[in-house]
């Protein structure tokens, strides 16, 4: 019997409540929550990857707006003061991480909702209540999108198949079933037996710490490999597809995802194996023509030199630590969205499916 889905994010209470999230930096050894009673804790949680994965970052930011406005006394605040505070909160949360567009999408949606509500006759306390409802809607919609992605994508997986995945695009990165992992969970629900080769995903080991943990909890055949073993796994014919999530997809289908994804797509191409991306429509950034315009987060040197408990690089060594890379559309066999499958991946097909 598989475990119940993990509650990556939970809102506790009413408009004066708080956001409780699984502290993903502690997994796989400790399943522990951190409670965010102020927007600074939400910002720090996103920055330090306590909550990570594009959709989960967006949901956390939406709830971050709800905790952020609690610095105001709703019974004694003007609509102008609330508007100003929401603008401050959104600008602040937008500085937490640059690549996943879901963060900016969710903040934009909360900002638009606030602007519309503030034009009406309702009180500031009622605006706060309705903003909390908007954040909950974002959360619930994500849950539904993940299940739809799984339903569309599971047809790509046959019984007995081996699949490589990279980073974590599971329930921990979303509201529940995940994006890439939703294909595996849905295939399992359909009675298919799949084996997932999980790249450990240097430098922060989201594959080893999070994806392997999630898959084992659901009793899926899981084989953990180091990132540099993927080529050999493919050469030995152990995997027949690669599936990952994405953090931002440009209008032409170029997709940013965890560093190492691009290399994996090249390996898949060389071995004649399909490389699939699974992502909800709010991971698309149609304002960008191509992946060249996607901002790539560069993180600190110590993630490479002092990763998990011991120094693994000499003092003073220069490092370069981009957290994401961009896979060109031509290497992607299909993008699985909640609206359907985009294939071949090009601008016309992206627009056709997204606007359906
Ligand atoms: O740095 P992270 O852990 O936030 O990176 C996450 C990824 O790259 C995921 O693959 C992506 O956000 C998709 S999550 C459904």
């Amino acid at each position: 019997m598989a475990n119940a889905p993990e509650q990556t994010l939970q809102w506790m209470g009413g408009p004066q409540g708080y956001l409780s999230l699984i502290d993903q930096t502690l997994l796989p050894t400790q399943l522990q929550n951190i409670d965010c009673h102020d927007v600074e804790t939400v910002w720090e949680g996103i920055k330090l990857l306590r909550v990570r994965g594009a959709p989960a970052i967006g949901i956390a930011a939406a709830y971050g707006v709800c905790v952020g406005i609690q610095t105001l006394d709703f019974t004694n605040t003007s609509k102008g003061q609330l508007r100003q505070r929401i603008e401050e909160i959104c600008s602040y949360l937008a500085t937490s991480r640059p690549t996943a567009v879901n963060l900016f999408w969710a903040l934009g949606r909360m900002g638009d909702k606030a602007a519309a509500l503030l034009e009406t006759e309702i009180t500031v306390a009622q605006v706060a209540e309705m903003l909390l409802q908007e954040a909950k809607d974002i959360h619930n919609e994500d849950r539904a999108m993940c299940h739809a992605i799984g339903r569309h994508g599971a047809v790509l997986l046959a019984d007995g198949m081996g699949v490589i995945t990279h980073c974590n695009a599971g329930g921990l990165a979303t509201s529940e079933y995940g994006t890439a992992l939703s294909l595996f969970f849905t295939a399992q629900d359909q009675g298919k037996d799949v084996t997932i080769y999980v790249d450990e995903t240097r430098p922060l080991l989201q594959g080893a710490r999070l994806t392997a943990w999630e898959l084992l909890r659901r009793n899926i055949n899981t084989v953990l490999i180091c990132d540099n073993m993927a080529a050999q796994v493919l050469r030995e014919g152990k995997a027949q597809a690669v599936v990952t999530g994405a953090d931002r997809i440009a209008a032409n289908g170029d997709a940013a995802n965890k560093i190492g994804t691009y290399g994996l797509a090249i390996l898949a191409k060389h071995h004649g194996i399909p490389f699939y991306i699974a992502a909800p429509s709010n991971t698309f950034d149609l304002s960008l023509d191509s992946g060249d315009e996607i901002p790539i987060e560069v993180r600190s040197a110590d993630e490479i030199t002092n990763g998990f408990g011991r120094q693994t690089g000499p003092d003073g060594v220069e490092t370069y630590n981009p957290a994401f890379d961009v896979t060109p559309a031509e290497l992607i066999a299909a993008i699985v969205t909640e609206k359907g499958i985009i294939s071949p991946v090009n601008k016309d097909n992206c627009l056709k499916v997204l606007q359906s």
Side-chain angles (χ1 to χ4, degrees):
M1 186 55 191
N3 286 292
E6 44 290 321
Q7 293 294 318
T8 303
L9 303 118
Q10 288 178 82
W11 182 265
M12 313 300 281
Q16 297 293 349
Y18 60 92
L19 171 64
S20 181
L21 45 89
I22 294 176
D23 183 348
Q24 298 186 34
T25 61
L26 302 177
L27 286 169
T29 50
Q30 292 175 62
L31 178 56
Q32 200 170 296
N33 274 45
I34 173 164
D35 295 339
C36 306
H37 292 275
D38 52 53
V39 68
E40 288 77 14
T41 311
V42 177
W43 185 93
E44 195 229 26
I46 296 173
K47 181 81 186 169
L48 300 184
L49 275 59
R50 296 190 199 287
V51 58
R52 33 66 49 208
I57 292 173
I59 299 163
Y63 285 130
V65 172
C66 302
V67 285
I69 58 175
Q70 292 171 356
T71 55
L72 303 172
D73 171 0
F74 297 153
T75 57
N76 194 18
T77 293
S78 71
K79 285 188 174 168
Q81 286 168 317
L82 180 59
R83 181 178 293 112
Q84 194 189 336
R85 178 68 184 143
I86 290 170
E87 280 167 13
E88 266 171 30
I89 294 166
C90 289
S91 312
Y92 171 60
L93 285 171
T95 63
S96 56
R97 293 191 76 189
T99 302
V101 76
N102 309 57
L103 171 71
F104 307 97
W105 172 87
L107 290 173
R109 181 161 153 179
M110 292 298 283
D112 289 349
K113 184 72 185 181
L117 291 169
L118 286 165
E119 289 299 315
T120 68
E121 296 301 309
I122 63 174
T123 64
V124 162
Q126 287 168 322
V127 173
E129 243 171 70
M130 296 187 77
L131 283 177
L132 176 58
Q133 189 53 52
E134 189 71 5
K136 288 182 176 175
D137 288 349
I138 290 174
H139 195 173
N140 288 329
E141 287 165 24
D142 183 67
R143 187 172 287 121
M145 288 192 292
C146 287
H147 282 279
I149 287 170
R151 281 194 301 277
H152 289 298
V155 297
L156 301 169
L157 306 182
D159 188 33
M161 208 157 157
V163 183
I164 299 184
T165 192
H166 190 72
C167 195
N168 172 266
L172 289 166
T174 63
S175 57
E176 196 178 288
Y177 242 39
T179 56
L181 266 57
S182 182
L183 272 61
F184 313 150
F185 298 144
T186 309
Q188 182 192 46
D189 293 343
Q190 295 171 347
K192 294 177 194 163
D193 193 32
V194 288
T195 297
I196 312 304
Y197 290 85
V198 180
D199 273 358
E200 64 174 352
T201 316
R202 280 277 289 155
L204 295 182
L205 305 184
Q206 288 93 331
R209 294 186 304 104
L210 309 176
T211 299
W213 179 81
E214 274 195 53
L215 292 173
L216 287 180
R217 274 166 63 90
R218 310 270 182 115
N219 302 323
I220 291 197
N221 307 325
T222 304
V223 183
L224 180 61
I225 58 171
C226 301
D227 299 340
N228 50 6
M229 296 168 188
Q232 185 63 15
V233 166
L234 290 172
R235 188 147 195 244
E236 290 176 15
K238 291 186 188 307
Q240 293 76 44
V242 177
V243 186
T244 75
D247 287 83
R248 193 186 293 227
I249 305 174
N252 69 345
D254 291 353
N257 191 50
K258 178 54 54 195
I259 192 74
T261 304
Y262 175 32
L264 198 51
I266 293 170
L267 291 179
K269 179 87 176 174
H270 180 75
H271 289 275
I273 277 166
F275 172 83
Y276 302 121
I277 293 266
S281 52
N282 57 20
T283 297
F284 283 78
D285 183 349
L286 297 178
S287 73
L288 306 184
D289 288 331
S290 84
D292 296 345
E293 298 164 65
I294 298 177
I296 299 294
E297 177 181 14
V298 176
R299 294 184 65 88
S300 67
D302 60 332
E303 290 182 354
I304 297 181
T305 58
N306 290 267
F308 288 90
R310 67 164 286 209
Q311 185 173 336
T312 52
D315 287 335
V317 69
E318 194 180 327
T319 61
Y320 177 49
N321 185 15
F324 299 94
D325 56 28
V326 175
T327 300
E330 73 217 45
L331 294 180
I332 305 171
I335 301 177
V336 184
T337 75
E338 80 280 10
K339 290 167 182 270
I341 293 183
I342 301 169
S343 180
V345 179
N346 56 44
K347 187 171 182 178
D348 282 352
N349 285 341
C350 286
L351 292 179
K352 209 182 293 166
V353 172
L354 293 175
Q355 287 161 3
S356 64

